Amino acid sequence: MSLLVVGSLAIDTIETPQDRRENVLGGSATHFAHAACFFSPVQLVGVVGEDWPEEYTRFFENRNIDMTGMEVQKGGKTFRWTGKYLENMDDRETLETQLNVLGDFVPKLPEMFRRAQFVFLANGSTKTQLKVLEQTQGASMVVADTMNLWIHHERPELMELLKQIDGLILNDSETKLLTGESNAYVAAKKIMEFGPKFVVVKKGANGAMFVSEYEIYLLPAFPILNVIDPTGAGDSFAGGMMGYIASQGEVNGEIIKRALAYGTIVASFQIEGFGLDKLYEITREDIEKRLEQFRKMINL
Ligand code: AMP
């Protein structure tokens, strides 16, 4: 079934203790779409400037990601982000965020995207996320991601968004920022009081937790020896999860558990290469093989 993602398309600069790369294709929608497309067709809405390299669009199209909803803003510059990872490769500092065309992006959904059954509002301005919801009709599941920048600067809009979505995915530290609670489970329960029916808390190398009214699922991360670049791990986790759910077309406890596992596995590949390098190398078969290993690791 159709899966729509709206979020950032970016040109990243990434520093790790071992390496530094400039002009890496990035962005929340980029990582999400490249993960989700292993499971389901993806429609993408985003904005770039005139400096966006043509060949980047081909990368998406080669993966059958529908780019009809990408707007190229005349005279504008693409969103740019620079991040630096600390020695543990889990903590990172944002060195620079240039919103550029993302700053005042008003998304216009192509007609055929408006009836998408599954909608993911990837990291980006909450105002933009709300504008998307004004244009979609009858989605079975709407899930959003957010981060510290938007929690700080667009809190009233975020509280409005929470009333309109089914699920929220966010990092451990962001649950605390949003609720003031340091226990992720308590924080997730509090977020559900604001509106969403479920919350997924991403804990980096420590895995993920899914909380709904009657269910809690915990999954560790798949252990990786040589982490090259964690950028996009959260978005590819969400992409694997939502892509699998969209491929099933319905939601129940078993599907959610498997979706969380697929998200975990795709994210584990994502961090084994710079930018999207590793995701370009692997196939669905590699994902299935690693899932089988993971199943053995967590089987009690
Ligand atoms: P993640 O590692 O999953 O948090 O995602 C990193 C990606 O998010 C990078 O490729 C960035 O381009 C993008 N990004 C960073 N900050 C923002 C922001 N404030 N809004 C939207 N996307 C962002």
Side-chain angles (χ1 to χ4, degrees), residues 219-263:
L219 272 190
F222 186 88
I224 294 297
L225 270 182
N226 192 14
V227 177
I228 302 284
D229 168 21
T231 310
D235 305 309
S236 56
F237 171 87
M241 177 187 133
M242 289 295 291
Y244 180 71
I245 292 175
S247 75
Q248 300 301 294
E250 57 166 331
V251 188
N252 60 42
E254 282 312 305
I255 289 175
I256 287 173
K257 274 196 264 183
R258 249 176 282 141
L260 294 169
Y262 275 116

Side-chain angles (χ1 to χ4, degrees), residues 11 30 42 111 120 146 150 182 184 203 211 226 257 278:
I11 301 178
T30 301
V42 182
E111 197 52 44
F120 188 72
T146 193
W150 313 113
S182 51
K203 294 161 167 270
V211 183
N226 192 14
K257 274 196 264 183
K278 190 71 183 182

Side-chain angles (χ1 to χ4, degrees), residues 8-12 24-28 30 52 56 78-81:
S8 62
L9 295 166
I11 301 178
D12 290 343
V24 180
L25 168 58
S28 56
T30 301
W52 176 255
Y56 282 3
T78 303
F79 170 68
R80 284 176 190 255
W81 175 81

Side-chain angles (χ1 to χ4, degrees), residues 7-14 24-31 79-82 85 92 94 96-97 99 102 122-125 145 147-150 171 174 202 229-237 270:
S8 62
L9 295 166
I11 301 178
D12 290 343
T13 297
I14 298 163
V24 180
L25 168 58
S28 56
T30 301
H31 292 294
F79 170 68
R80 284 176 190 255
W81 175 81
T82 305
Y85 290 90
R92 81 173 173 215
T94 290
E96 197 181 18
T97 300
L99 285 178
L102 199 63
N123 208 346
S125 156
D145 188 354
M147 69 182 285
N148 48 5
L149 183 76
W150 313 113
N171 288 339
E174 293 154 359
K202 298 173 285 183
D229 168 21
T231 310
D235 305 309
S236 56
F237 171 87
Q270 165 78 27

